[in-house]
Amino acid sequence: MKLDKQKYTWDLEVLLGGGTLEQLYELWLNKQKQILNLYPRFANDLSSFKKWLKLHEEYEIIGNRLHNYVSNNYNEDQAAPKWIDWSQKLNISSNKFHVQLSDYNLKVIKNEAKINAFLKDTQISEYWREFQLIWRDKPHILADNEQKILSTMGIINGGFATIFSTLNDTEIKFKDAVDAKGKRIPLKTIADVTYHLKSKDRNLRKTTWINFHQAYSNYENTFTQTLYYNYLMLNTISKIHKFPDYVSAVSFADEINNELITNLYKYSELFKSSALNYRQVFQKILKKQLKLNKLEPWDKTVDLATQDINFTIEQTKEIILESFKPFGDEYIENVKKAFDQHWISWLPKPGKQQGAYSIGGTKGLDKYYISMNFDRTIRSVYTIAHELGHSLNSYYINKKQKIYHEVAIFYAEVASIVNEMLLSYYLLAKYKDNADLNKLILNETIDNFFSTVTRQIIFSHTEFELNKLINQSQPFTKENIKQIYRQMIEKYQGIDKEAQKNMQTEPYSYALSTILRIPHFYAGNFYVYKYAIGQIVAILVADQIYHDDKDMIKKYYDFLSSGSSRSPVETIKLLGIDLYASETYQRARTILDGWIKKLSKYAGE
């Protein structure tokens, strides 16, 4: 059945407000001029300061419309010259503007006493946290001329992420897979790869797995050099700003210290025994299902179900609405808006950005756009649940916050993973009498935990150690990177002797190139461990919400609405959860082990 593509794409034109892109761009440039005209005297008096705050709010809203219009169109077709040109145009204009304001933080620090007095005015007192964060940064502020030089160079700061994205999304091509009958099956996108790795045709799975990983393995040297110079730049800039290293600089921005990260690594080892237990259960079930004595890597992506489990977009919408009922009617109505008012670009196509995302920069917007590559699998159902969590988080922040609309990446994944967990609970109840589907959903829930906690901790701790190589002037080679990656796999999930041996030989060794294709490594935000925090916090929250804990539901809406109005750790404390306490991780493991126990009955245990 052919899909109506217009029905399943997003409505971006509303961002233009009835005008043209060129008009919106000129409006944005004009607002820049007004800000620059006021800049020399913004802190002279209360009236000028209030006008300054108002101009920045107007500029932010216009900028959010403009950048989202361009970036979302670009992500629909990353090879389109029009959107490449516009992306570069906005990047250049933004950088030029920020260079002219490069000494802003220094001016705020110099005028601390005066601005503190201004902020006693009740009309603007809510801005205090915004300025307090600048004053907190005093030890890391550079002299005016130094800051201007770095700001001028800022135009290239995102270059490594762009290089990675271009290579990953448009340059790397996969060889055709081959099915059991010898028919060649094109692999145009990662969505195709994901779909065929779940095929009943073992030869199709095998050739898909090999061709996918080999494609990345062929570019190991390019990825290694890109990552090396990216980390070298990030650590150099961090040290210029008087931080010990890049990780410390990111931690400071997150209002934490590195102790929380290293504690998370330590507590994540608690899940290793659960991972080993799960792997034994999973492999026993899958061997029986596939009638195999030995499982290969390309077998382990098959769903634990003998039925073909595919979902249409319309079925997915119905499932999502039912699974979110514990949130209450208001949340459901807003999800319906997302579906009915074209917030979502559903379908994959060549040139479209891989994966999925919910937009940032949402202040002043009425639609909180989502891009995904729907592939009919249950994973896609989870993906839209996940991204709706982000978009509804943005909705509630915009509803409550006047100033603090950002979502700190430290806790950004909580809202999305709570949605995934409620989806799991709903599906497990819906299919409780269907052993095949129940088995599939249980496994999806457990596997998602290990993918989001154990796997991301493996990635994060590898990244942590790779930055040590940079700062200790150690060789940064693909061999060293893959060796550290293997060590982390052993540390957090364990490796049996056969797998250890296989990792040294082709085609199994191709999979080690996975560590070089993590997009967040190139983004400059030391991000991926935060997925683990989101998962651990979310399963605790979702378990209580699903069991109708009214107190937790109230806490959760406070959390969703808080934005960046308090520090990330304090924001999570709104949920009654302490990230520094071992009890938090023990509780998560108890829930996890309960799921594994339920799955084990399908292994005859």
Side-chain angles (χ1 to χ4, degrees):
M1 179 177 169
K2 191 173 181 180
L3 290 174
D4 179 356
K5 293 184 179 180
Q6 291 303 311
K7 182 178 180 180
Y8 297 120
T9 193
W10 45 20
D11 172 23
L12 297 176
E13 297 308 306
V14 69
L15 293 170
L16 298 180
T20 66
L21 175 56
E22 289 74 14
Q23 289 170 334
L24 185 61
Y25 178 64
E26 288 302 318
L27 187 63
W28 183 64
L29 291 180
N30 184 57
K31 199 61 65 175
Q32 286 185 359
K33 291 176 184 177
Q34 293 178 49
I35 289 172
L36 292 173
N37 286 337
L38 181 58
Y39 185 44
R41 61 185 192 282
F42 80 91
N44 282 5
D45 53 67
L46 179 59
S47 176
S48 297
F49 188 68
K50 285 184 175 180
K51 185 177 180 182
W52 173 259
L53 296 176
K54 186 173 184 295
L55 279 173
H56 268 278
E57 182 176 7
E58 293 168 350
Y59 175 70
E60 181 183 1
I61 291 171
I62 294 168
N64 286 343
R65 290 167 53 201
L66 177 63
H67 283 277
N68 272 301
Y69 186 81
V70 171
S71 65
N72 288 328
N73 273 296
Y74 169 74
N75 290 333
E76 283 287 288
D77 185 359
Q78 294 184 322
K82 175 182 178 179
W83 300 116
I84 292 172
D85 290 346
W86 267 104
S87 296
Q88 293 174 350
K89 186 176 182 177
L90 293 190
N91 190 25
I92 292 168
S93 297
S94 294
N95 185 69
K96 182 180 178 181
F97 176 64
H98 288 127
V99 166
Q100 292 174 284
L101 298 175
S102 60
D103 60 347
Y104 173 68
N105 284 5
L106 192 60
K107 288 181 181 293
V108 169
I109 288 170
K110 287 179 178 177
N111 288 280
E112 181 176 356
K114 191 185 292 187
I115 292 173
N116 249 323
F118 294 159
L119 292 172
K120 292 178 181 177
D121 187 304
T122 55
Q123 291 183 340
I124 58 172
S125 58
E126 195 176 349
Y127 283 91
W128 182 85
R129 173 168 162 77
E130 178 179 316
F131 289 93
Q132 186 271 334
L133 289 174
I134 295 175
W135 295 323
R136 172 179 176 264
D137 205 29
K138 283 183 203 177
H140 307 287
I141 295 292
L142 303 179
D144 185 23
N145 61 331
E146 296 172 327
Q147 190 60 52
K148 279 189 181 296
I149 292 171
L150 279 185
S151 295
T152 303
M153 293 177 64
I155 194 170
I156 65 171
N157 285 354
F160 295 107
T162 301
I163 291 168
F164 171 82
S165 180
T166 302
L167 180 60
N168 188 55
D169 296 334
T170 66
E171 298 295 325
I172 289 182
K173 306 297 182 186
F174 310 122
K175 295 178 183 177
D176 291 348
V178 180
D179 67 14
K181 296 179 180 179
K183 181 180 178 182
R184 303 181 74 84
I185 309 295
L187 302 176
K188 294 180 180 179
T189 67
I190 287 183
D192 292 335
V193 172
T194 302
Y195 184 73
H196 293 310
L197 281 174
K198 295 182 180 296
S199 171
K200 292 180 179 179
D201 185 324
R202 195 181 194 198
N203 199 69
L204 178 56
R205 294 199 306 269
K206 178 179 179 179
T207 54
T208 297
W209 189 94
I210 291 173
N211 292 349
F212 170 71
H213 287 291
Q214 186 177 33
Y216 284 97
S217 182
N218 290 339
Y219 285 85
E220 283 181 352
N221 291 323
T222 302
F223 282 123
T224 297
Q225 290 300 309
T226 304
L227 195 58
Y228 169 72
Y229 284 106
N230 178 53
Y231 285 153
L232 186 61
M233 179 196 73
L234 292 169
N235 280 282
T236 300
I237 290 174
S238 298
K239 289 172 183 177
I240 289 172
H241 282 286
K242 303 169 190 173
F243 290 102
D245 51 38
Y246 154 57
V247 175
S248 298
V250 176
S251 295
F252 180 84
D254 284 331
E255 299 178 77
I256 64 168
N257 54 44
N258 287 2
E259 180 188 357
L260 188 141
I261 298 172
T262 54
N263 274 350
L264 178 63
Y265 294 160
K266 178 179 71 175
Y267 292 136
S268 293
E269 290 187 65
L270 289 171
F271 305 119
K272 182 176 180 179
S273 60
S274 300
L276 291 167
N277 185 26
Y278 164 64
R279 199 152 65 240
Q280 290 174 354
V281 169
F282 171 78
Q283 291 186 16
K284 188 172 183 180
I285 296 171
L286 194 57
K287 283 179 182 178
K288 186 189 305 181
Q289 178 177 313
L290 298 178
K291 298 181 174 60
L292 294 172
N293 294 321
K294 178 184 176 183
L295 295 176
E296 297 286 2
W298 42 86
D299 298 319
K300 297 174 185 177
T301 50
V302 174
D303 288 332
L304 289 191
T306 55
Q307 305 174 29
D308 284 329
I309 309 298
N310 289 309
F311 299 88
T312 67
I313 292 175
E314 294 305 316
Q315 287 171 332
T316 296
K317 290 179 182 180
E318 292 176 13
I319 289 169
I320 293 296
L321 291 172
E322 288 295 317
S323 67
F324 288 174
K325 280 186 176 179
F327 288 132
D329 293 341
E330 182 185 344
Y331 197 96
I332 294 294
E333 288 305 310
N334 286 309
V335 173
K336 287 180 181 177
K337 286 182 186 177
F339 292 154
D340 298 339
Q341 297 178 8
H342 294 276
W343 293 12
I344 305 166
S345 172
W346 291 87
L347 301 173
K349 62 180 180 179
K352 183 177 180 180
Q353 179 170 307
Q354 297 171 8
Y357 67 83
S358 169
I359 62 167
T362 61
K363 183 175 182 178
L365 304 188
D366 295 318
K367 297 186 178 184
Y368 307 98
Y369 295 104
I370 293 168
S371 174
M372 69 174 300
N373 290 274
F374 190 81
D375 65 2
R376 307 187 300 279
T377 66
I378 196 168
R379 187 63 254 165
S380 273
V381 182
Y382 276 91
T383 295
I384 191 61
H386 180 104
E387 299 305 337
L388 282 166
H390 289 307
S391 290
L392 269 291
N393 195 179
S394 295
Y395 167 83
Y396 281 104
I397 290 170
N398 277 277
K399 184 177 178 182
K400 174 77 178 287
Q401 298 294 332
K402 174 186 175 183
I403 301 162
Y404 303 107
H405 289 76
E406 295 81 9
V407 178
I409 58 176
F410 185 82
Y411 55 80
E413 297 305 318
V414 172
S416 55
I417 299 172
V418 165
N419 279 12
E420 290 192 44
M421 296 309 308
L422 287 181
L423 174 60
S424 289
Y425 282 124
Y426 168 75
L427 292 173
L428 288 170
K430 179 180 177 66
Y431 297 119
K432 67 179 187 298
D433 297 324
N434 185 322
D436 214 33
L437 291 176
N438 197 256
K439 180 173 55 177
L440 170 69
I441 296 153
L442 261 176
N443 186 65
E444 181 72 22
T445 304
I446 299 165
D447 183 65
N448 192 52
F449 179 92
F450 289 115
S451 296
T452 313
V453 177
T454 301
R455 182 175 169 85
Q456 299 304 328
I457 290 297
I458 288 169
F459 291 161
S460 179
H461 203 165
T462 300
E463 186 179 19
F464 192 90
E465 295 300 320
L466 293 183
N467 277 277
K468 281 187 181 179
L469 294 182
I470 295 289
N471 291 304
Q472 295 172 1
S473 301
Q474 297 297 311
F476 196 94
T477 64
K478 64 182 182 182
E479 290 79 14
N480 284 351
I481 293 170
K482 291 190 287 187
Q483 180 182 1
I484 292 170
Y485 180 40
R486 284 196 301 267
Q487 290 169 350
M488 295 305 164
I489 293 172
E490 169 60 32
K491 182 179 181 67
Y492 292 106
Q493 71 177 34
I495 313 175
D496 59 41
K497 290 181 180 179
E498 184 177 5
Q500 281 276 22
K501 182 180 178 181
N502 284 345
M503 281 183 176
Q504 310 299 320
T505 59
E506 295 181 358
Y508 306 100
S509 60
Y510 295 153
L512 289 172
S513 62
T514 295
I515 197 61
L516 293 166
R517 62 175 179 85
I518 310 304
H520 287 300
F521 283 12
Y522 301 83
N525 53 18
F526 198 74
Y527 184 96
V528 296
Y529 78 89
K530 297 166 192 176
Y531 282 115
I533 287 176
Q535 177 75 31
I536 291 163
V537 170
I539 70 167
L540 299 176
V541 172
D543 187 69
Q544 290 177 255
I545 289 177
Y546 181 75
H547 291 99
D548 201 28
D549 184 325
K550 302 296 186 187
D551 185 51
M552 176 53 79
I553 292 173
K554 180 182 182 303
K555 288 177 181 177
Y556 187 63
Y557 276 100
D558 289 342
F559 167 82
L560 286 181
S561 304
S562 63
S564 53
S565 62
R566 59 188 69 208
S567 76
V569 171
E570 290 301 313
T571 301
I572 288 177
K573 282 185 178 178
L574 288 171
L575 299 166
I577 294 171
D578 182 359
L579 292 174
Y580 287 91
S582 62
E583 179 197 3
T584 296
Y585 305 89
Q586 295 283 6
R587 286 171 55 207
R589 187 174 68 170
T590 298
I591 295 172
L592 172 65
D593 287 343
W595 296 334
I596 296 171
K597 184 177 180 180
K598 288 180 180 179
L599 183 65
S600 68
K601 71 181 182 181
Y602 297 107
E605 297 178 21

